[in-house]
Coordinates of all heavy atoms in Angstrom, one line a residue:
M160 N 7.4 -16.4 26.9 CA 7.2 -14.9 27.2 C 5.7 -14.8 27.9 O 4.9 -15.5 27.6 CB 7.2 -14.1 25.9 CG 8.3 -13.1 25.9 SD 8.2 -11.9 24.5 CE 9.6 -12.4 23.7
R161 N 5.7 -13.7 28.8 CA 4.4 -13.6 29.4 C 3.4 -12.9 28.4 O 3.8 -12.2 27.5 CB 4.6 -12.7 30.6 CG 5.5 -13.5 31.6 CD 5.7 -12.5 32.7 NE 6.7 -13.2 33.7 CZ 6.9 -12.9 34.9 NH1 6.3 -11.9 35.5 NH2 7.8 -13.5 35.6
P162 N 2.1 -13.2 28.6 CA 1.1 -12.7 27.7 C 1.0 -11.1 27.6 O 0.9 -10.7 26.4 CB -0.2 -13.2 28.3 CG 0.1 -14.4 29.1 CD 1.5 -14.2 29.6
H163 N 1.3 -10.4 28.8 CA 1.3 -8.9 28.7 C 2.4 -8.4 27.8 O 2.3 -7.4 27.4 CB 1.2 -8.3 30.1 CG 2.4 -8.6 31.0 ND1 2.6 -9.7 31.6 CD2 3.4 -7.8 31.2 CE1 3.7 -9.7 32.3 NE2 4.2 -8.5 32.1
V164 N 3.5 -9.1 28.0 CA 4.7 -8.6 27.2 C 4.5 -8.9 25.7 O 4.8 -7.9 24.8 CB 6.0 -9.5 27.6 CG1 7.2 -9.1 26.7 CG2 6.3 -9.3 29.0
I165 N 3.9 -10.0 25.3 CA 3.5 -10.2 23.9 C 2.5 -9.1 23.4 O 2.7 -8.6 22.3 CB 3.0 -11.6 23.7 CG1 4.1 -12.6 24.0 CG2 2.4 -11.8 22.3 CD1 3.6 -14.1 24.0
A166 N 1.6 -8.8 24.2 CA 0.5 -7.8 23.9 C 1.2 -6.6 23.7 O 0.8 -5.7 22.7 CB -0.6 -7.8 24.9
A167 N 2.1 -6.1 24.6 CA 2.8 -4.9 24.5 C 3.6 -4.7 23.2 O 3.5 -3.7 22.5 CB 3.7 -4.7 25.7
I168 N 4.2 -5.8 22.9 CA 5.0 -5.9 21.6 C 4.1 -5.8 20.4 O 4.5 -4.9 19.5 CB 5.9 -7.2 21.5 CG1 6.9 -7.1 22.6 CG2 6.5 -7.3 20.2 CD1 7.7 -8.4 22.8
L169 N 3.0 -6.4 20.3 CA 2.1 -6.3 19.3 C 1.5 -4.9 19.1 O 1.3 -4.4 18.0 CB 0.9 -7.3 19.4 CG 1.3 -8.8 19.2 CD1 0.1 -9.7 19.5 CD2 1.8 -9.0 17.7
M170 N 1.3 -4.2 20.2 CA 0.7 -2.9 20.1 C 1.8 -1.9 19.7 O 1.4 -1.1 18.8 CB 0.2 -2.5 21.6 CG -1.0 -3.1 22.0 SD -1.5 -2.5 23.7 CE -1.7 -0.7 23.3
I171 N 3.0 -2.1 19.9 CA 4.1 -1.3 19.4 C 4.3 -1.4 17.9 O 4.3 -0.5 17.2 CB 5.4 -1.5 20.2 CG1 5.3 -1.0 21.6 CG2 6.5 -0.9 19.5 CD1 6.5 -1.5 22.5
V172 N 4.2 -2.8 17.5 CA 4.3 -3.0 16.0 C 3.2 -2.4 15.3 O 3.3 -1.7 14.3 CB 4.4 -4.5 15.8 CG1 4.3 -4.8 14.4 CG2 5.7 -5.0 16.4
M173 N 1.9 -2.4 15.9 CA 0.7 -1.9 15.2 C 0.9 -0.4 15.2 O 0.5 0.3 14.1 CB -0.5 -2.3 15.8 CG -0.9 -3.8 15.6 SD -2.3 -4.4 16.6 CE -3.6 -3.3 16.1
L174 N 1.4 0.2 16.2 CA 1.5 1.7 16.3 C 2.5 2.1 15.2 O 2.3 3.2 14.5 CB 1.9 2.2 17.5 CG 0.7 2.2 18.7 CD1 1.3 2.5 19.9 CD2 -0.3 3.3 18.2
L175 N 3.7 1.4 15.0 CA 4.6 1.8 14.1 C 4.1 1.6 12.6 O 4.3 2.4 11.8 CB 5.8 0.9 14.2 CG 6.6 1.2 15.5 CD1 7.7 0.2 15.6 CD2 7.3 2.5 15.4
M176 N 3.3 0.6 12.4 CA 2.7 0.4 11.1 C 1.7 1.5 10.8 O 1.7 2.1 9.6 CB 2.0 -1.0 11.0 CG 3.0 -2.1 10.9 SD 2.1 -3.8 10.9 CE 1.3 -3.6 9.4
C177 N 0.9 1.9 11.7 CA -0.1 3.0 11.4 C 0.6 4.4 11.3 O 0.2 5.1 10.5 CB -1.0 3.2 12.7 SG -2.2 1.8 12.7
S178 N 1.7 4.6 12.1 CA 2.3 5.9 11.8 C 3.1 6.0 10.4 O 3.2 7.0 9.9 CB 3.4 6.1 13.0 OG 4.4 5.2 12.9
S179 N 3.5 4.7 10.0 CA 4.1 4.9 8.7 C 3.1 5.0 7.6 O 3.4 5.6 6.5 CB 5.0 3.6 8.4 OG 4.1 2.5 8.3
C180 N 1.8 4.6 7.7 CA 0.8 4.9 6.8 C 0.5 6.4 6.6 O 0.1 6.8 5.6 CB -0.4 4.2 7.3 SG -0.4 2.3 7.0
K181 N 0.6 7.1 7.7 CA 0.4 8.6 7.6 C 1.2 9.2 6.7 O 1.0 10.3 6.1 CB 0.5 9.2 9.0 CG -0.6 8.7 9.9 CD -0.4 9.4 11.3 CE -1.4 8.8 12.3 NZ -1.2 9.3 13.6
E182 N 2.5 8.8 6.5 CA 3.5 9.4 5.5 C 3.5 8.7 4.1 O 4.3 9.1 3.3 CB 4.8 9.3 6.2 CG 4.8 10.1 7.5 CD 6.2 10.0 8.2 OE1 7.2 9.6 7.6 OE2 6.2 10.3 9.4
A183 N 2.7 7.8 3.9 CA 2.7 7.0 2.6 C 2.2 8.0 1.4 O 1.2 8.7 1.6 CB 1.7 5.9 2.7
P184 N 2.8 7.9 0.3 CA 2.4 8.7 -0.8 C 0.9 8.4 -1.2 O 0.5 7.3 -1.1 CB 3.3 8.3 -2.0 CG 4.5 7.7 -1.3 CD 4.0 7.1 -0.1
K185 N 0.3 9.4 -1.6 CA -1.1 9.3 -2.0 C -1.2 8.8 -3.5 O -0.3 9.0 -4.2 CB -1.8 10.7 -2.1 CG -1.8 11.3 -0.7 CD -2.8 10.7 0.3 CE -2.8 11.5 1.6 NZ -3.4 10.8 2.7
V186 N -2.3 8.1 -3.8 CA -2.6 7.6 -5.1 C -3.1 8.7 -6.0 O -4.2 9.3 -5.6 CB -3.6 6.5 -5.1 CG1 -4.0 6.1 -6.6 CG2 -3.1 5.3 -4.4
T187 N -2.4 9.2 -6.9 CA -2.9 10.4 -7.7 C -3.4 10.2 -9.1 O -3.5 11.1 -9.9 CB -1.7 11.4 -7.7 OG1 -0.7 10.9 -8.4 CG2 -1.4 11.9 -6.3
H188 N -3.6 8.9 -9.4 CA -3.8 8.5 -10.7 C -5.0 7.5 -10.7 O -5.2 6.7 -9.7 CB -2.6 7.9 -11.5 CG -2.1 6.7 -10.7 ND1 -2.6 5.4 -10.9 CD2 -1.0 6.5 -9.9 CE1 -1.9 4.6 -10.1 NE2 -1.0 5.2 -9.4
P189 N -5.7 7.3 -11.9 CA -6.8 6.3 -12.0 C -6.1 5.0 -11.9 O -5.0 4.7 -12.4 CB -7.3 6.5 -13.3 CG -7.0 8.0 -13.7 CD -5.6 8.2 -13.1
I190 N -6.8 3.9 -11.4 CA -6.5 2.5 -11.3 C -7.5 1.6 -11.9 O -8.7 2.0 -11.8 CB -6.0 2.1 -10.0 CG1 -7.2 2.3 -9.0 CG2 -4.8 3.0 -9.4 CD1 -6.9 1.7 -7.6
A191 N -7.0 0.4 -12.4 CA -8.0 -0.5 -13.0 C -8.8 -1.2 -11.9 O -10.0 -1.4 -12.1 CB -7.3 -1.4 -13.8
D192 N -8.2 -1.5 -10.8 CA -8.8 -2.1 -9.8 C -8.0 -2.0 -8.4 O -7.0 -1.4 -8.4 CB -9.2 -3.7 -10.1 CG -7.8 -4.4 -10.1 OD1 -7.0 -4.5 -9.2 OD2 -7.8 -5.3 -11.1
K193 N -8.6 -2.5 -7.4 CA -7.9 -2.2 -6.0 C -7.1 -3.3 -5.5 O -6.8 -3.4 -4.4 CB -9.1 -1.9 -5.0 CG -9.8 -0.7 -5.3 CD -10.9 -0.5 -4.2 CE -11.8 0.8 -4.5 NZ -12.7 1.0 -3.5
S194 N -6.7 -4.2 -6.5 CA -5.9 -5.4 -6.1 C -4.4 -5.0 -6.0 O -4.0 -4.1 -6.6 CB -6.1 -6.5 -7.1 OG -5.5 -6.1 -8.3
D195 N -3.6 -5.6 -5.1 CA -2.2 -5.4 -4.9 C -1.5 -5.7 -6.3 O -0.6 -5.0 -6.7 CB -1.6 -6.2 -3.8 CG -2.2 -5.9 -2.5 OD1 -2.6 -4.8 -2.3 OD2 -2.2 -6.8 -1.6
S196 N -1.9 -6.7 -6.9 CA -1.3 -7.1 -8.3 C -1.5 -6.0 -9.3 O -0.6 -5.8 -10.1 CB -1.8 -8.4 -8.8 OG -3.3 -8.3 -9.0
S197 N -2.6 -5.3 -9.2 CA -2.8 -4.1 -10.2 C -1.8 -3.1 -9.8 O -1.1 -2.5 -10.8 CB -4.2 -3.6 -10.0 OG -4.3 -2.4 -10.8
C198 N -1.5 -2.8 -8.6 CA -0.5 -1.8 -8.2 C 0.9 -2.2 -8.6 O 1.6 -1.4 -9.1 CB -0.5 -1.5 -6.7 SG -2.1 -0.8 -6.1
L199 N 1.2 -3.5 -8.3 CA 2.6 -4.0 -8.7 C 2.9 -4.1 -10.1 O 4.1 -4.1 -10.4 CB 2.8 -5.3 -7.9 CG 2.7 -5.2 -6.4 CD1 2.8 -6.5 -5.8 CD2 3.9 -4.2 -5.9
V200 N 1.9 -4.1 -11.0 CA 2.2 -4.2 -12.5 C 3.2 -3.0 -12.8 O 4.1 -3.3 -13.5 CB 0.8 -4.0 -13.3 CG1 1.2 -3.7 -14.6 CG2 0.1 -5.3 -13.1
C201 N 3.0 -1.8 -12.3 CA 3.9 -0.7 -12.6 C 4.8 -0.5 -11.4 O 6.0 -0.1 -11.6 CB 3.1 0.5 -12.8 SG 2.1 0.4 -14.3
H202 N 4.4 -0.5 -10.3 CA 5.3 0.0 -9.1 C 6.2 -1.0 -8.6 O 7.2 -0.7 -7.7 CB 4.3 0.4 -7.9 CG 3.6 1.7 -8.3 ND1 4.2 3.0 -8.3 CD2 2.3 2.0 -8.7 CE1 3.2 3.9 -8.8 NE2 2.1 3.2 -8.9
Q203 N 6.2 -2.3 -9.0 CA 7.2 -3.3 -8.5 C 8.5 -2.9 -9.2 O 9.5 -3.1 -8.5 CB 6.8 -4.7 -8.7 CG 7.7 -5.7 -8.1 CD 7.0 -7.1 -8.1 OE1 6.1 -7.4 -8.7 NE2 7.6 -7.9 -7.1
G204 N 8.4 -2.6 -10.4 CA 9.8 -2.5 -11.1 C 10.0 -1.0 -11.5 O 11.0 -0.7 -12.2
G205 N 9.1 0.0 -11.1 CA 9.2 1.3 -11.6 C 9.0 1.5 -13.2 O 9.8 2.2 -13.8
V206 N 7.9 0.8 -13.7 CA 7.7 0.8 -15.0 C 7.3 2.3 -15.6 O 6.7 3.0 -14.9 CB 6.4 0.0 -15.4 CG1 6.0 0.2 -16.9 CG2 6.7 -1.4 -15.1
K207 N 8.0 2.7 -16.7 CA 7.8 4.0 -17.3 C 8.0 5.1 -16.3 O 7.2 6.1 -16.4 CB 6.5 4.1 -18.1 CG 6.5 3.2 -19.2 CD 5.1 3.3 -20.0 CE 5.0 2.4 -21.2 NZ 3.7 2.6 -21.9
G208 N 8.9 5.1 -15.4 CA 9.2 6.3 -14.6 C 8.2 6.2 -13.3 O 8.4 7.2 -12.5
T209 N 7.4 5.2 -13.0 CA 6.7 5.2 -11.8 C 7.6 4.9 -10.6 O 8.5 4.2 -10.8 CB 5.5 4.1 -11.9 OG1 6.1 2.9 -12.0 CG2 4.5 4.4 -12.9
P210 N 7.3 5.5 -9.4 CA 8.1 5.1 -8.3 C 8.0 3.7 -7.9 O 7.0 3.1 -7.8 CB 7.5 6.0 -7.2 CG 6.5 6.9 -7.8 CD 6.2 6.4 -9.2
A211 N 9.2 3.0 -7.9 CA 9.2 1.6 -7.5 C 9.0 1.4 -6.0 O 9.5 2.2 -5.3 CB 10.5 1.0 -7.9
T212 N 8.1 0.5 -5.6 CA 7.8 0.3 -4.2 C 9.1 -0.3 -3.5 O 9.9 -1.1 -4.1 CB 6.6 -0.7 -4.1 OG1 6.4 -0.8 -2.6 CG2 6.9 -2.0 -4.6
S213 N 9.3 0.0 -2.3 CA 10.3 -0.4 -1.5 C 9.8 -1.8 -0.7 O 10.6 -2.4 0.1 CB 10.9 0.6 -0.5 OG 9.9 1.0 0.4
H214 N 8.6 -2.0 -0.8 CA 8.0 -3.0 0.0 C 6.9 -3.9 -0.8 O 5.8 -3.9 -0.3 CB 7.3 -2.4 1.3 CG 6.4 -1.4 1.0 ND1 6.9 0.0 0.9 CD2 5.1 -1.3 0.8 CE1 5.9 0.9 0.5 NE2 4.8 0.1 0.5
P215 N 7.4 -4.6 -1.8 CA 6.3 -5.3 -2.7 C 5.7 -6.5 -1.9 O 4.7 -7.0 -2.4 CB 7.3 -5.7 -3.8 CG 8.6 -5.8 -3.3 CD 8.6 -4.7 -2.3
K216 N 6.3 -6.9 -0.8 CA 5.7 -8.1 -0.1 C 4.6 -7.7 0.8 O 3.8 -8.6 1.1 CB 6.8 -8.9 0.7 CG 7.8 -9.4 -0.1 CD 8.9 -10.1 0.6 CE 10.0 -10.7 -0.2 NZ 11.1 -11.3 0.5
Y217 N 4.3 -6.4 1.2 CA 3.2 -6.0 1.8 C 2.0 -6.2 1.2 O 1.9 -6.1 -0.1 CB 3.3 -4.5 2.3 CG 4.4 -4.2 3.2 CD1 5.4 -5.2 3.7 CD2 4.5 -2.8 3.8 CE1 6.3 -4.8 4.6 CE2 5.5 -2.5 4.7 CZ 6.4 -3.5 5.0 OH 7.4 -3.2 6.0
K218 N 0.9 -6.4 1.9 CA -0.5 -6.7 1.3 C -1.3 -5.5 1.6 O -1.1 -4.7 2.4 CB -1.1 -8.0 1.9 CG -0.2 -9.2 1.7 CD -0.2 -9.6 0.2 CE 0.6 -10.8 0.0 NZ 1.2 -10.8 -1.3
D219 N -2.4 -5.3 0.7 CA -3.4 -4.3 0.9 C -2.8 -2.9 0.7 O -2.8 -2.1 1.6 CB -4.1 -4.4 2.3 CG -5.4 -3.8 2.3 OD1 -5.8 -3.2 1.2 OD2 -5.8 -3.5 3.4
C220 N -2.4 -2.6 -0.5 CA -1.7 -1.3 -0.8 C -2.5 -0.1 -0.4 O -2.0 0.9 0.2 CB -1.4 -1.2 -2.4 SG -0.3 -2.5 -3.0
L221 N -3.8 -0.2 -0.6 CA -4.7 0.9 -0.4 C -5.1 1.2 1.2 O -5.8 2.1 1.5 CB -6.0 0.8 -1.2 CG -5.8 0.9 -2.7 CD1 -7.0 0.6 -3.5 CD2 -5.1 2.2 -3.0
R222 N -4.5 0.2 1.9 CA -4.6 0.4 3.4 C -3.8 1.8 3.8 O -4.2 2.5 4.6 CB -4.2 -0.8 4.1 CG -4.2 -0.6 5.6 CD -4.0 -1.9 6.4 NE -3.8 -1.6 7.7 CZ -2.6 -1.7 8.4 NH1 -1.5 -2.2 7.8 NH2 -2.6 -1.4 9.7
C223 N -2.7 1.9 3.3 CA -1.8 3.0 3.5 C -1.8 4.1 2.4 O -1.9 5.2 2.7 CB -0.4 2.6 3.7 SG -0.1 1.6 5.3
H224 N -1.9 3.6 1.3 CA -1.8 4.6 0.1 C -3.3 5.0 -0.2 O -3.9 4.3 -1.0 CB -1.1 4.0 -1.1 CG 0.3 3.6 -0.8 ND1 1.3 4.6 -0.8 CD2 0.9 2.5 -0.4 CE1 2.5 4.0 -0.5 NE2 2.2 2.7 -0.2
E225 N -3.7 6.2 0.3 CA -5.1 6.6 0.2 C -5.2 7.4 -1.2 O -4.2 7.9 -1.6 CB -5.5 7.4 1.2 CG -5.5 6.7 2.6 CD -5.8 7.7 3.8 OE1 -5.7 8.9 3.7 OE2 -6.1 7.1 4.8
Y226 N -6.3 7.6 -1.7 CA -6.5 8.4 -2.9 C -6.4 9.9 -2.4 O -6.9 10.4 -1.4 CB -8.0 8.2 -3.4 CG -8.1 6.8 -4.0 CD1 -9.1 5.9 -3.4 CD2 -7.4 6.4 -5.0 CE1 -9.2 4.7 -3.8 CE2 -7.6 5.2 -5.6 CZ -8.5 4.3 -5.0 OH -8.7 3.0 -5.5
A227 N -5.6 10.6 -3.2 CA -5.5 12.1 -3.1 C -6.8 12.8 -3.2 O -7.6 12.4 -4.1 CB -4.5 12.7 -4.1
G228 N -7.0 13.7 -2.4 CA -8.4 14.5 -2.6 C -9.5 13.8 -1.8 O -10.6 14.4 -2.0
G229 N -9.4 12.7 -1.3 CA -10.3 12.0 -0.5 C -11.3 11.2 -1.4 O -12.3 10.6 -0.8
K230 N -11.3 11.3 -2.8 CA -12.2 10.5 -3.5 C -11.5 9.6 -4.5 O -10.4 9.9 -4.9 CB -13.3 11.4 -4.2 CG -12.7 12.4 -5.2 CD -13.8 13.2 -5.7 CE -13.3 14.0 -6.9 NZ -14.4 14.7 -7.6
E231 N -12.2 8.5 -4.8 CA -11.5 7.5 -5.7 C -11.3 8.1 -7.2 O -12.4 8.6 -7.8 CB -12.4 6.3 -5.7 CG -11.8 5.2 -6.4 CD -12.6 3.9 -6.2 OE1 -13.3 3.7 -5.1 OE2 -12.8 3.1 -7.1
P232 N -10.3 7.9 -7.8 CA -10.1 8.3 -9.2 C -10.9 7.5 -10.0 O -11.3 6.4 -9.8 CB -8.6 8.2 -9.4 CG -8.0 7.5 -8.3 CD -9.0 7.4 -7.2
V233 N -11.2 8.0 -11.3 CA -12.0 7.2 -12.2 C -11.1 6.1 -12.6 O -9.9 6.2 -12.9 CB -12.2 8.2 -13.5 CG1 -12.9 7.4 -14.6 CG2 -12.9 9.4 -13.0
K234 N -11.7 5.0 -12.6 CA -11.0 3.7 -13.1 C -10.8 3.7 -14.5 O -11.6 4.0 -15.3 CB -11.8 2.5 -12.6 CG -12.0 2.4 -11.2 CD -12.8 1.2 -10.7 CE -12.9 1.2 -9.2 NZ -13.7 0.0 -8.7
Q235 N -9.6 3.1 -14.9 CA -9.3 3.0 -16.3 C -8.5 1.7 -16.4 O -8.0 1.1 -15.4 CB -8.5 4.1 -16.8 CG -7.1 4.1 -16.3 CD -6.3 5.3 -16.9 OE1 -6.7 6.3 -17.2 NE2 -4.9 5.2 -16.8
Q236 N -8.4 1.2 -17.6 CA -7.7 0.0 -17.9 C -6.2 0.2 -17.9 O -5.8 1.2 -18.5 CB -8.0 -0.6 -19.3 CG -7.5 -1.9 -19.6 CD -7.9 -3.1 -18.7 OE1 -9.1 -3.1 -18.3 NE2 -7.1 -3.9 -18.3
V237 N -5.5 -0.6 -17.2 CA -4.0 -0.4 -17.1 C -3.5 -1.2 -18.2 O -3.8 -2.2 -18.5 CB -3.5 -1.1 -15.6 CG1 -2.1 -1.1 -15.6 CG2 -4.0 -0.3 -14.4
Q238 N -2.5 -0.4 -18.9 CA -2.0 -0.9 -20.1 C -0.8 -1.8 -19.7 O 0.0 -1.4 -18.8 CB -1.5 0.2 -21.0 CG -2.6 1.1 -21.5 CD -3.5 0.4 -22.5 OE1 -2.9 -0.5 -23.2 NE2 -4.8 0.8 -22.5
S239 N -0.6 -2.9 -20.4 CA 0.6 -3.8 -20.1 C 1.7 -3.2 -20.9 O 1.6 -2.7 -21.9 CB 0.1 -5.2 -20.6 OG 1.2 -6.1 -20.5
N240 N 2.8 -3.6 -20.4 CA 4.1 -3.1 -21.1 C 4.7 -4.2 -22.0 O 5.8 -4.1 -22.5 CB 5.2 -2.8 -20.1 CG 5.3 -1.4 -19.9 OD1 4.6 -0.7 -20.5 ND2 6.2 -1.0 -18.9
R241 N 3.8 -5.2 -22.4 CA 4.3 -6.2 -23.3 C 4.2 -5.8 -24.7 O 3.6 -5.1 -25.2 CB 3.5 -7.5 -23.1 CG 3.7 -7.9 -21.6 CD 3.0 -9.2 -21.3 NE 3.0 -9.4 -19.9 CZ 2.6 -10.4 -19.3 NH1 2.2 -11.4 -20.0 NH2 2.8 -10.6 -18.1

């Protein structure tokens, strides 16, 4: 493939990713830390009624899922279901 075709495809993919971030649900609860594994403790399987993620393989959850109200919630310890 020609370089300009590859560049155009990459730009389209990036634009699609950014537009999907605009519609991502906001984080409305305190979290223990900003790691993907922290989010997936509850959201990978829908623990205790939490919405289950449709894309657990994506990295950097907080890239798209911003804090509601524009500020970071107070951090708290995430309880394990064990």
Side-chain angles (χ1 to χ4, degrees):
M160 248 189 238
R161 296 180 184 195
H163 66 278
V164 173
I165 293 172
I168 291 170
L169 287 174
M170 286 180 64
I171 290 169
V172 169
M173 288 174 59
L174 285 172
L175 289 172
M176 287 176 67
C177 288
S178 65
S179 66
C180 284
K181 292 177 185 174
E182 297 176 18
K185 303 285 186 193
V186 176
T187 59
H188 58 81
I190 57 173
D192 62 57
K193 296 180 181 182
S194 70
D195 296 332
S196 60
S197 176
C198 297
L199 293 175
V200 165
C201 296
H202 292 285
Q203 187 165 19
V206 173
K207 293 185 180 180
T209 60
T212 180
S213 61
H214 49 275
K216 294 180 183 176
Y217 289 6
K218 301 293 180 208
D219 195 11
C220 299
L221 297 176
R222 178 172 170 250
C223 290
H224 299 278
E225 300 172 345
Y226 295 115
K230 64 181 188 177
E231 186 173 331
V233 177
K234 294 180 182 178
Q235 71 179 23
Q236 185 63 35
V237 172
Q238 295 292 330
S239 174
N240 262 357
R241 295 180 193 192

